[in-house]
Every structure is written in structure tokens, then in C-alpha cells.
Amino acid sequence: MSEVQATTPLISQLLTTWIEGEASQQFPLANYANAAAILFQNVPAINWVGFYLYDEAQEKLVVGPFLGKPAVALISPDAGVVGHAFSAQETVVVDDVHTFANHIVCDPDSNAEIVVPITTADGKKLGVLDIDSPTLNRFSAQDQADLTHFVQTLLAYVA
């Protein structure tokens, strides 16, 4: 078993470098979009990456900026991997999505998924980061640590 490294992940460094000091820094939607692009370009063996953002009035997760095939636009907080991670407020790693009860299929080529909740320090639930891969067992403990750090870095630019 490999040890999880605690250094600042490259993806978090890229996010900060891209956003910090830019005129668009104060525009959360632009920052979510660039965050998705950074991940899509720098995380290998993925076929979908994006954000589902919580709409309190509708009580739904609404698809936000993403790259990949078209996606389900609205997800209930109790549905699929996205809803489960959001409701439980914990990262969910699914090695084989075909074995996950209530999995929502967007891309039939997806075989693994990781979903990281996006929550402010005071507990406000903003949504989730969702990443799919065509490779079974794609996401490691290091990926989970790096993506959690990435989300924490992103919070400074979207909350």
C-alpha cells in the first residue's frame, strides 16, 4: 500500500496560479469553469469532470461547468453517487459504478467515479466535484487527498 503524500498537489498549485490576481477572480462561475478545465487537462484517464451546484430553492444539485459528454442536469440529494456524497458530506470513491446501487448513468463508458463535497468552513453546502473514468479502480487514496485539497483551494474563489 502506498503512502499518501502531504505536499501541495500540482492541480491545486495550477488552480491558484490561474485564478489568483486575475480580473475574473471574483466570479465564481468562471472559477468553477477553469477549475474543471485544469482537472480535465491534468488528471489522467478521466472522461468527465465537473461540478454539481446546490440550488436551495429547488433542493436539487444542478449541473455546473463541466467537460465531457452531456450530463444529467438535475440530481436529487438522495440520488446516485453525486447525491450520496452531497448528503453524507463525505468523499465517495466508487471503483466500479456498475455495482453502485442507484448509479445515474450519463456516459456508458464510465466505470469508476469520485465525488468530493464542496462545503464552506461554516457548513454551507455548495455542491460537489464529480469525476468519472473509463478505467475500473481508477481513483486512489492519493487522488482523493489531492482532489480534497483542490476543492479546499477552490473554496477561496467560489464561496
Side-chain angles (χ1 to χ4, degrees):
M1 183 163 77
S2 64
E3 189 175 309
V4 174
Q5 297 185 11
T7 60
T8 301
L10 176 61
I11 54 176
S12 295
Q13 293 174 40
L14 291 168
L15 181 67
T16 299
T17 300
W18 190 259
I19 296 175
E20 190 67 35
E22 292 296 317
S24 61
Q25 181 175 335
Q26 301 305 313
F27 296 91
L29 189 61
N31 297 331
Y32 278 119
N34 279 323
I38 287 167
L39 292 172
F40 198 70
Q41 291 296 310
N42 292 282
V43 176
I46 63 173
N47 59 330
W48 198 94
V49 59
F51 298 93
Y52 278 91
L53 306 174
Y54 187 61
D55 183 301
E56 291 181 24
Q58 298 297 317
E59 296 183 346
K60 299 278 187 191
L61 290 149
V62 181
V63 71
F66 73 92
L67 291 122
K69 291 182 180 177
V72 171
L74 301 173
I75 296 179
S76 295
D78 59 352
V81 182
V82 165
H84 178 73
F86 179 78
S87 294
Q89 285 296 287
E90 62 185 23
T91 298
V92 176
V93 177
V94 180
D95 293 331
D96 181 352
V97 296
H98 309 290
T99 64
F100 189 90
N102 211 10
H103 176 251
I104 299 168
V105 178
C106 292
D107 182 346
D109 294 330
S110 293
N111 288 309
E113 185 169 6
I114 185 169
V115 181
V116 182
I118 305 168
T119 307
T120 63
D122 64 358
K124 183 176 182 184
K125 299 175 182 182
L126 300 180
V128 298
L129 165 64
D130 181 19
I131 303 178
D132 293 359
S133 173
T135 306
L136 291 167
N137 303 302
R138 163 60 188 87
F139 301 105
S140 67
Q142 185 67 56
D143 291 320
Q144 181 174 342
D146 290 352
L147 292 167
T148 298
H149 190 283
F150 184 86
V151 164
Q152 291 305 309
T153 302
L154 179 62
L155 273 168
Y157 306 109
V158 298

mmCIF file of all heavy atoms in Angstrom, residues 68-89:
data_model
loop_
_atom_site.group_PDB
_atom_site.id
_atom_site.type_symbol
_atom_site.label_atom_id
_atom_site.label_comp_id
_atom_site.label_asym_id
_atom_site.label_seq_id
_atom_site.Cartn_x
_atom_site.Cartn_y
_atom_site.Cartn_z
ATOM 1 N N GLY A 68 -16.812 16.921 -20.893
ATOM 2 C CA GLY A 68 -17.174 15.533 -21.135
ATOM 3 C C GLY A 68 -18.481 15.485 -21.888
ATOM 4 O O GLY A 68 -18.955 16.502 -22.408
ATOM 5 N N LYS A 69 -19.075 14.310 -21.957
ATOM 6 C CA LYS A 69 -20.362 14.148 -22.640
ATOM 7 C C LYS A 69 -21.460 14.856 -21.861
ATOM 8 O O LYS A 69 -21.314 15.098 -20.657
ATOM 9 C CB LYS A 69 -20.686 12.663 -22.794
ATOM 10 C CG LYS A 69 -19.773 11.954 -23.782
ATOM 11 C CD LYS A 69 -20.162 10.500 -23.951
ATOM 12 C CE LYS A 69 -19.230 9.815 -24.953
ATOM 13 N NZ LYS A 69 -19.549 8.381 -25.088
ATOM 14 N N PRO A 70 -22.576 15.187 -22.532
ATOM 15 C CA PRO A 70 -23.695 15.828 -21.827
ATOM 16 C C PRO A 70 -24.084 15.033 -20.580
ATOM 17 O O PRO A 70 -23.947 13.806 -20.543
ATOM 18 C CB PRO A 70 -24.813 15.816 -22.861
ATOM 19 C CG PRO A 70 -24.101 15.808 -24.176
ATOM 20 C CD PRO A 70 -22.870 14.967 -23.948
ATOM 21 N N ALA A 71 -24.571 15.770 -19.582
ATOM 22 C CA ALA A 71 -24.835 15.167 -18.276
ATOM 23 C C ALA A 71 -26.270 15.405 -17.834
ATOM 24 O O ALA A 71 -26.948 16.317 -18.316
ATOM 25 C CB ALA A 71 -23.879 15.768 -17.251
ATOM 26 N N VAL A 72 -26.706 14.605 -16.887
ATOM 27 C CA VAL A 72 -27.999 14.817 -16.247
ATOM 28 C C VAL A 72 -27.961 16.204 -15.620
ATOM 29 O O VAL A 72 -27.015 16.548 -14.907
ATOM 30 C CB VAL A 72 -28.258 13.731 -15.182
ATOM 31 C CG1 VAL A 72 -29.482 14.053 -14.350
ATOM 32 C CG2 VAL A 72 -28.383 12.370 -15.840
ATOM 33 N N ALA A 73 -28.974 17.016 -15.877
ATOM 34 C CA ALA A 73 -28.965 18.413 -15.429
ATOM 35 C C ALA A 73 -29.323 18.584 -13.961
ATOM 36 O O ALA A 73 -28.768 19.451 -13.286
ATOM 37 C CB ALA A 73 -29.903 19.241 -16.297
ATOM 38 N N LEU A 74 -30.246 17.787 -13.459
ATOM 39 C CA LEU A 74 -30.706 17.923 -12.077
ATOM 40 C C LEU A 74 -30.595 16.591 -11.353
ATOM 41 O O LEU A 74 -31.034 15.558 -11.874
ATOM 42 C CB LEU A 74 -32.169 18.377 -12.038
ATOM 43 C CG LEU A 74 -32.505 19.696 -12.719
ATOM 44 C CD1 LEU A 74 -34.009 19.915 -12.743
ATOM 45 C CD2 LEU A 74 -31.808 20.847 -12.018
ATOM 46 N N ILE A 75 -30.032 16.626 -10.158
ATOM 47 C CA ILE A 75 -29.902 15.410 -9.351
ATOM 48 C C ILE A 75 -30.422 15.705 -7.954
ATOM 49 O O ILE A 75 -30.049 16.711 -7.339
ATOM 50 C CB ILE A 75 -28.432 14.930 -9.285
ATOM 51 C CG1 ILE A 75 -27.947 14.533 -10.691
ATOM 52 C CG2 ILE A 75 -28.286 13.762 -8.312
ATOM 53 C CD1 ILE A 75 -26.503 14.079 -10.750
ATOM 54 N N SER A 76 -31.266 14.829 -7.452
ATOM 55 C CA SER A 76 -31.760 14.958 -6.084
ATOM 56 C C SER A 76 -30.643 14.611 -5.108
ATOM 57 O O SER A 76 -29.810 13.749 -5.400
ATOM 58 C CB SER A 76 -32.936 14.013 -5.844
ATOM 59 O OG SER A 76 -34.019 14.389 -6.651
ATOM 60 N N PRO A 77 -30.637 15.246 -3.940
ATOM 61 C CA PRO A 77 -29.584 14.968 -2.960
ATOM 62 C C PRO A 77 -29.560 13.534 -2.440
ATOM 63 O O PRO A 77 -28.634 13.163 -1.736
ATOM 64 C CB PRO A 77 -29.888 15.952 -1.825
ATOM 65 C CG PRO A 77 -30.606 17.068 -2.480
ATOM 66 C CD PRO A 77 -31.426 16.412 -3.558
ATOM 67 N N ASP A 78 -30.532 12.734 -2.812
ATOM 68 C CA ASP A 78 -30.530 11.337 -2.370
ATOM 69 C C ASP A 78 -30.298 10.363 -3.531
ATOM 70 O O ASP A 78 -30.469 9.163 -3.375
ATOM 71 C CB ASP A 78 -31.849 11.004 -1.670
ATOM 72 C CG ASP A 78 -33.060 11.212 -2.572
ATOM 73 O OD1 ASP A 78 -32.906 11.762 -3.682
ATOM 74 O OD2 ASP A 78 -34.166 10.815 -2.161
ATOM 75 N N ALA A 79 -29.883 10.879 -4.700
ATOM 76 C CA ALA A 79 -29.771 10.030 -5.886
ATOM 77 C C ALA A 79 -28.336 9.899 -6.365
ATOM 78 O O ALA A 79 -27.602 10.885 -6.460
ATOM 79 C CB ALA A 79 -30.636 10.585 -7.011
ATOM 80 N N GLY A 80 -27.956 8.687 -6.693
ATOM 81 C CA GLY A 80 -26.669 8.421 -7.315
ATOM 82 C C GLY A 80 -25.478 8.717 -6.415
ATOM 83 O O GLY A 80 -25.613 9.035 -5.234
ATOM 84 N N VAL A 81 -24.309 8.608 -6.987
ATOM 85 C CA VAL A 81 -23.070 8.866 -6.265
ATOM 86 C C VAL A 81 -22.997 10.341 -5.879
ATOM 87 O O VAL A 81 -22.615 10.696 -4.762
ATOM 88 C CB VAL A 81 -21.835 8.454 -7.107
ATOM 89 C CG1 VAL A 81 -20.544 8.683 -6.332
ATOM 90 C CG2 VAL A 81 -21.931 6.997 -7.559
ATOM 91 N N VAL A 82 -23.393 11.214 -6.798
ATOM 92 C CA VAL A 82 -23.376 12.662 -6.547
ATOM 93 C C VAL A 82 -24.245 13.005 -5.345
ATOM 94 O O VAL A 82 -23.816 13.694 -4.416
ATOM 95 C CB VAL A 82 -23.818 13.434 -7.815
ATOM 96 C CG1 VAL A 82 -24.167 14.872 -7.499
ATOM 97 C CG2 VAL A 82 -22.725 13.372 -8.868
ATOM 98 N N GLY A 83 -25.482 12.561 -5.356
ATOM 99 C CA GLY A 83 -26.395 12.853 -4.256
ATOM 100 C C GLY A 83 -25.933 12.256 -2.941
ATOM 101 O O GLY A 83 -26.034 12.887 -1.884
ATOM 102 N N HIS A 84 -25.398 11.041 -3.003
ATOM 103 C CA HIS A 84 -24.925 10.381 -1.789
ATOM 104 C C HIS A 84 -23.767 11.154 -1.158
ATOM 105 O O HIS A 84 -23.766 11.403 0.053
ATOM 106 C CB HIS A 84 -24.497 8.937 -2.103
ATOM 107 C CG HIS A 84 -23.949 8.219 -0.920
ATOM 108 N ND1 HIS A 84 -24.746 7.779 0.103
ATOM 109 C CD2 HIS A 84 -22.677 7.895 -0.581
ATOM 110 C CE1 HIS A 84 -23.990 7.199 1.026
ATOM 111 N NE2 HIS A 84 -22.735 7.262 0.634
ATOM 112 N N ALA A 85 -22.796 11.559 -1.975
ATOM 113 C CA ALA A 85 -21.650 12.311 -1.447
ATOM 114 C C ALA A 85 -22.100 13.647 -0.872
ATOM 115 O O ALA A 85 -21.623 14.082 0.180
ATOM 116 C CB ALA A 85 -20.604 12.524 -2.536
ATOM 117 N N PHE A 86 -23.037 14.308 -1.559
ATOM 118 C CA PHE A 86 -23.543 15.594 -1.099
ATOM 119 C C PHE A 86 -24.270 15.441 0.238
ATOM 120 O O PHE A 86 -24.022 16.187 1.181
ATOM 121 C CB PHE A 86 -24.477 16.210 -2.143
ATOM 122 C CG PHE A 86 -25.048 17.534 -1.733
ATOM 123 C CD1 PHE A 86 -24.291 18.687 -1.826
ATOM 124 C CD2 PHE A 86 -26.345 17.617 -1.246
ATOM 125 C CE1 PHE A 86 -24.815 19.924 -1.433
ATOM 126 C CE2 PHE A 86 -26.880 18.835 -0.864
ATOM 127 C CZ PHE A 86 -26.110 19.992 -0.959
ATOM 128 N N SER A 87 -25.179 14.494 0.325
ATOM 129 C CA SER A 87 -25.968 14.308 1.540
ATOM 130 C C SER A 87 -25.122 13.830 2.715
ATOM 131 O O SER A 87 -25.296 14.308 3.835
ATOM 132 C CB SER A 87 -27.097 13.305 1.290
ATOM 133 O OG SER A 87 -28.016 13.855 0.370
ATOM 134 N N ALA A 88 -24.212 12.920 2.446
ATOM 135 C CA ALA A 88 -23.360 12.379 3.514
ATOM 136 C C ALA A 88 -22.223 13.338 3.883
ATOM 137 O O ALA A 88 -21.604 13.187 4.932
ATOM 138 C CB ALA A 88 -22.782 11.036 3.097
ATOM 139 N N GLN A 89 -21.941 14.298 3.000
ATOM 140 C CA GLN A 89 -20.845 15.244 3.186
ATOM 141 C C GLN A 89 -19.520 14.519 3.397
ATOM 142 O O GLN A 89 -18.734 14.832 4.289
ATOM 143 C CB GLN A 89 -21.137 16.197 4.350
ATOM 144 C CG GLN A 89 -22.157 17.265 4.001
ATOM 145 C CD GLN A 89 -21.648 18.199 2.911
ATOM 146 O OE1 GLN A 89 -20.784 19.025 3.156
ATOM 147 N NE2 GLN A 89 -22.163 18.049 1.710
#
